[in-house]
Amino acid sequence: MPLIDARTGEKVTLQQYFGKDKKTLLVLIRQFSCLLCRIHIKELERNQRSLEAHLVQVVVVSFGCQEGASHWLQDIGCQYDMLLDPDRKVYAAFGLGASVKKVLNFDNMLLYAEYVADDMEFPRELPTIQDDMFQLGGDFLLDEHGRVLFSHSCQSPLDRPSVEDILSAL
């Protein structure tokens, strides 16, 4: 399944991350303007030492374009590798779809209203980039052979696993 390295534009495969005596945590984000995805990445970065101690490398996956990825990586200062899956084949392989009902539910709207009330800064959408706000994300921990050790398909934008939950699979 060919993917694109978001930093270089080169074609890559997930297999390139396997076999290095490391596990790979695939973090499939919803969209570049998803605040909760950014918060999740920041949590992973805060726990980088723990991830490294467990030999876990993080790879972010997006279905977005390279321009959006470059902006996103720079905007949040993300150091993780990012792969682009424009055809959403990785998303489909892990059973991640899009859902208006799961994204625009009351709990999500309430949280976003709280963020607005707290004057939290929201990511700016780029007018030249089309995103799919209804895409759901997920976290999948794979061993060095690509076998799934941990699987978390998000049921809403709020639903991301903690680092402790992910590492409990080891």
Side-chain angles (χ1 to χ4, degrees):
M1 173 176 329
L3 301 168
I4 301 165
D5 183 307
R7 295 182 200 278
T8 66
E10 295 175 14
K11 290 191 179 204
V12 296
T13 65
L14 286 179
Q15 287 73 17
Q16 291 175 245
Y17 290 89
F18 304 149
K20 299 178 182 176
D21 295 326
K22 288 189 175 185
K23 289 116 189 127
T24 303
L25 176 62
L26 295 179
V27 180
L28 284 75
I29 63 171
R30 294 184 49 246
Q31 62 172 336
F32 293 131
S33 59
C34 176
L35 176 63
L36 299 169
C37 293
R38 291 171 181 229
I39 291 170
H40 182 56
I41 294 296
K42 291 296 180 191
E43 179 192 356
L44 293 171
E45 289 174 339
R46 280 191 302 276
N47 289 279
Q48 185 61 33
R49 284 190 186 147
S50 183
L51 292 166
E52 287 173 354
H54 288 87
L55 300 175
V56 174
Q57 62 183 338
V58 176
V59 177
V60 179
V61 179
S62 171
F63 58 87
C65 66
Q66 194 167 0
E67 178 189 357
S70 295
H71 175 78
W72 188 88
L73 289 164
Q74 183 178 23
D75 197 35
I76 70 168
C78 181
Q79 299 303 308
Y80 296 132
D81 286 359
M82 177 182 262
L83 304 179
L84 302 176
D85 177 22
D87 297 324
R88 300 189 206 190
K89 289 181 179 180
V90 175
Y91 286 79
F94 285 110
L96 300 177
S99 172
V100 172
K101 180 180 176 182
K102 290 180 178 182
V103 171
L104 296 181
N105 69 37
F106 180 76
D107 290 338
N108 295 340
M109 298 295 99
L110 181 60
L111 179 66
Y112 273 91
E114 289 174 7
Y115 287 162
V116 169
D118 288 341
D119 265 345
M120 183 176 270
E121 187 176 330
F122 285 82
R124 290 177 293 114
E125 289 188 38
L126 297 175
T128 58
I129 297 173
Q130 246 183 344
D131 255 340
D132 180 355
M133 72 177 281
F134 303 117
Q135 176 64 55
L136 294 169
D139 292 70
F140 305 93
L141 183 62
L142 310 177
D143 71 9
E144 50 276 340
H145 305 290
R147 291 184 294 245
V148 177
L149 301 172
F150 175 86
S151 173
H152 184 90
S153 300
C154 298
Q155 297 304 304
S156 81
L158 307 175
D159 180 31
R160 285 289 183 170
S162 68
V163 173
E164 294 78 26
D165 288 343
I166 294 166
L167 294 178
S168 72
L170 300 176

